[in-house]
């Protein structure tokens, strides 16, 4: 079942600059979809349109069977949570607890239940020991984890990560990527991640590649990354294991599987023994 | 313009409850026209250190010499402007510093501040905007109308237009798509200046940097040749550093009995040796 369906979506700034041009896509319920593309390809605009934060110029978006329009907006927003790029721009509360509570208050949750809910979701992201901490005492990765807890507390069926790891250091990046992976594994939430991280995309279920406001390619990771030239042409890179595979091919060596560096090394060993 | 740092200490909020020593007895000598990578965890002191190089921060004690220009930690410094012309710093998310009405004016702002004539400033702005790959069509646009990657390039052109001999770059490619990141690095690499690059991207360090400067918790742990650094197993495991992808691949091959004449800095050469050894 598709939880999101988009048909012929168009978005222009001031009727001049075309940002998204005739974009159609489907996202399966419970899947982990990544959207990749160079800077300015329209990735973030697409995310904002799905969440109803921007008004489309044409086309239609369905979220969970509901057409995205003014009277459905309230319902649709309940289905969608977004984690943005900059950890400092989305911390609203004066402590971790307040920050998670903010969304719950807006949902008119009974204050008696609130503490339990907050604890539950703070634990989900490993921040239960930081509930009274102020934001400036947290690292970027920790702030993003709180942002994720705040989103989870609202219990949306879809979570959009809009370059949520790009401002973090490697440790923070890994924390958040692992958290996203676990969320995908342990819950039925639909995850959409807009990212420059090719390795992250490589491990997702399905990839949409955007270029100049159009869908350039879509498919499973191995289908997307089988041609680095094509991706390089639109300013994208391929994962390191694919690079090795291609460099070997240039030297007329074909290996059967290349899902990880380890696999490639084993393949090369076998080839070496044969000779 | 060699840089010499001796026993540099920096204490944030001295004599306050939150007093914190960010740099501890740093001794560092950097040579001309080399490409240095400055690495370390968040909070290790990298950003604090680079702000000392053009005297945006003044140490609590110690000595810094940039060429013949000495930055004093014990008395008032004069003529810092001369120093700042020689040491250009590109900060993290530098696009947030754009402010002028047009792209061209934004890049001209720096040179004009250093008393360069209007026409010369314009010529420099055009030269460096072109160098970073900004199309002439964009020169008269507002910088705020550009995409994130373009903005970053404009901000970098603004620093290059000062023609500093030393370029300090704090995560200049963070948040950029891989291709834009590569373009920008190739530009820096081609400049023939002293470059100090703050980054978390070890793949990039491995292929570009001559030497690695490694900070941890305000201490300078080591400064040495890049391959030397990443092949020091003890150091790598002690600080739980991740290996560059290329080196990791080569190590795994070595473990399985492949032999190599050297550590390769690009995949092409590595594969050649694997196949034709």
């Amino acid at each position: 079942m598709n939880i999101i369906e988009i048909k012929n979506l168009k978005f222009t700034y001031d009727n001049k600059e075309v940002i998204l041009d005739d974009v159609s896509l489907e996202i399966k319920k419970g899947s982990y979809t990544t959207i990749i593309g160079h800077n300015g390809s329209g990735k973030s605009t697409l995310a904002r349109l799905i969440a109803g934060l921007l008004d489309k110029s044409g086309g239609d978006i369905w979220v969970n069977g509901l057409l995205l329009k003014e009277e459905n907006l309230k319902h649709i927003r309940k289905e969608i949570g977004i984690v943005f790029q900059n950890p400092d721009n989305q911390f609203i509360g004066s402590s971790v607890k307040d920050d998670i509570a903010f969304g719950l208050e807006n949902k008119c949750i009974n204050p008696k239940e609130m503490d339990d809910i907050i604890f539950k979701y703070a634990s989900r992201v490993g921040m239960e020991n930081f509930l009274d901490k102020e934001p400036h005492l947290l690292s970027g990765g920790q702030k993003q984890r709180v942002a994720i807890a705040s989103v989870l507390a609202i219990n949306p069926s879809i979570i959009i990560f809009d370059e949520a790891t790009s401002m973090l250091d490697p440790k923070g990046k890994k924390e958040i990527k692992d958290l996203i992976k676990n969320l995908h594994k342990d819950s039925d939430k639909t995850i959409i991640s807009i990212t420059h991280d090719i390795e992250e995309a490589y491990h997702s279920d399905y990839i949409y590649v955007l270029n100049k406001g159009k869908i350039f390619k879509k498919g499973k990771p191995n289908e997307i990354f089988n041609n680095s030239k094509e991706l390089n042409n639109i300013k994208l890179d391929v994962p390191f294991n694919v690079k090795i595979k291609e460099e070997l091919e240039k030297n007329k060596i074909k290996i059967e599987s290349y899902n990880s560096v380890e696999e490639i090394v084993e393949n090369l060993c076998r080839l070496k023994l044969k000779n | 313009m060699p840089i010499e740092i001796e026993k540099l200490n920096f204490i944030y909020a001295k004599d306050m409850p939150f007093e914190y020593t960010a740099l501890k007895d740093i001794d560092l000598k950097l040579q001309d026209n080399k490409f240095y990578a400055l690495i370390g965890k968040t909070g290790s002191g990298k950003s604090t250190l680079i702000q000392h190089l053009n005297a945006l921060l003044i140490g609590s004690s110690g000595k810094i010499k940039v060429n013949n220009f000495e930055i004093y930690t014990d008395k008032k410094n004069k003529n810092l402007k001369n120093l700042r012309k020689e040491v250009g710093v590109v900060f993290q998310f530098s696009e947030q510093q754009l402010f002028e009405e047009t792209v061209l004016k934004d890049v001209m702002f720096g040179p004009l501040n250093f008393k360069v004539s209007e026409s010369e400033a314009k010529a420099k702005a055009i030269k460096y905007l072109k160098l970073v790959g900004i199309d002439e069509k964009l020169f008269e646009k507002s910088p705020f109308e550009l995409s994130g990657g373009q903005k970053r390039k404009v901000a970098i052109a603004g620093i290059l237009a000062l023609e500093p001999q030393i370029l300090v770059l704090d995560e200049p490619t963070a948040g950029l798509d891989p291709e834009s990141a590569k373009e920008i690095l190739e530009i820096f690499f081609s400049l023939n200046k002293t470059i100090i690059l703050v980054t978390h991207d070890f793949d990039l360090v491995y292929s570009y940097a001559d030497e690695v400067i490694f900070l941890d918790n305000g201490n300078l742990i080591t400064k040495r040749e890049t391959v030397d650094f990443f092949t020091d197993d003890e150091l790598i495991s002690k600080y739980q550093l991740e290996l560059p992808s290329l080196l990791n691949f080569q190590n795994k091959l070595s473990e399985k009995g492949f032999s190599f004449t050297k550590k390769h800095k690009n995949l092409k050469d590595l594969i050649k040796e694997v196949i034709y050894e």
Side-chain angles (χ1 to χ4, degrees), chain B residues 16-35:
Chain B
M16 309 275 272
F18 292 109
E19 181 175 309
Y20 172 71
T21 307
L23 294 174
K24 299 168 192 162
D25 280 342
I26 304 283
D27 284 315
L28 196 60
K29 272 189 187 152
L30 306 181
Q31 290 162 295
D32 284 350
N33 300 341
K34 271 201 168 184
F35 198 124

Side-chain angles (χ1 to χ4, degrees), chain B residues 6-9 59-64 70-74:
Chain B
E6 250 177 74
K7 292 244 170 299
L8 178 69
N9 284 280
S60 309
S61 66
K63 243 195 220 171
I64 300 185
E70 190 161 348
I71 304 170
Y72 300 101
T73 53
D74 51 357

Side-chain angles (χ1 to χ4, degrees), chain A residues 182-197:
Chain A
N182 288 335
L183 263 181
H184 176 46
K185 214 170 61 194
D186 309 337
S187 75
D188 55 359
K189 295 199 186 304
T190 305
I191 291 170
I192 303 171
S193 178
I194 289 155
T195 183
H196 283 308
D197 190 325

Side-chain angles (χ1 to χ4, degrees), chain A residues 13-148:
Chain A
Y13 273 120
D14 312 329
N15 288 322
K16 276 192 303 205
E17 211 178 333
V18 180
I19 307 293
L20 287 176
D21 190 8
D22 204 20
V23 168
S24 296
L25 58 82
E26 297 97 42
I27 289 173
K28 279 208 183 76
K29 190 172 189 324
S31 68
Y32 176 8
T33 303
T34 44
I35 300 176
I36 59 176
H38 62 82
N39 296 116
S41 62
K43 304 183 302 289
S44 293
T45 304
L46 179 60
R48 286 175 165 78
L49 285 166
I50 295 172
L53 297 175
L54 284 174
D55 281 332
K56 61 188 185 329
S57 316
D60 285 313
I61 301 173
W62 282 269
V63 178
N64 226 352
L66 275 181
L67 181 63
L68 197 145
K69 53 181 177 178
E70 188 67 37
E71 55 262 48
N72 290 338
L73 206 52
K74 218 177 154 188
H75 284 286
I76 287 177
R77 287 220 175 112
K78 274 188 193 155
E79 300 282 341
I80 301 178
I82 305 193
V83 179
F84 292 100
Q85 178 180 34
N86 191 333
D88 292 314
N89 290 354
Q90 53 192 326
F91 209 109
I92 310 156
S94 55
S95 69
V96 169
K97 197 173 152 184
D98 284 357
D99 200 62
I100 302 176
F102 179 78
L104 297 172
E105 282 166 356
N106 285 344
K107 259 179 93 182
C108 302
I109 301 283
N110 183 346
K112 280 180 193 147
E113 292 166 30
M114 226 185 265
D115 274 351
D116 289 341
I117 300 178
I118 291 169
F119 187 79
K120 180 176 158 195
Y121 290 105
S123 311
R124 187 75 183 75
V125 300
M127 292 295 289
E128 69 277 17
N129 295 327
F130 295 83
L131 286 175
D132 294 320
K133 285 268 187 309
E134 294 164 34
H136 69 269
L137 295 171
L138 305 177
S139 71
Q142 288 171 332
K143 280 182 212 163
Q144 286 302 67
R145 268 149 64 189
V146 174
I148 294 173

Side-chain angles (χ1 to χ4, degrees), chain B residues 194-251:
Chain B
T194 307
I195 291 178
I196 301 162
L197 172 71
V198 178
T199 182
H200 289 294
D201 186 338
F202 290 176
D203 284 343
L204 197 153
V205 173
Y206 197 62
S207 15
Y208 287 97
D210 297 314
E211 290 189 27
V212 174
I213 303 163
F214 175 42
L215 292 183
D216 185 68
N217 202 11
N219 295 297
L220 174 68
I221 305 300
T222 185
K223 166 187 158 285
R224 68 177 105 148
E225 197 275 323
T226 304
V227 172
D228 252 18
F229 177 84
F230 284 111
T231 48
D232 183 339
D233 298 337
E234 206 175 303
L235 185 90
I236 296 294
S237 74
K238 182 174 176 195
Y239 291 98
Q240 298 178 336
L241 301 174
E242 227 171 279
L243 286 183
S245 316
L246 195 64
L247 179 62
N248 180 43
F249 179 43
Q250 183 165 359
N251 285 351

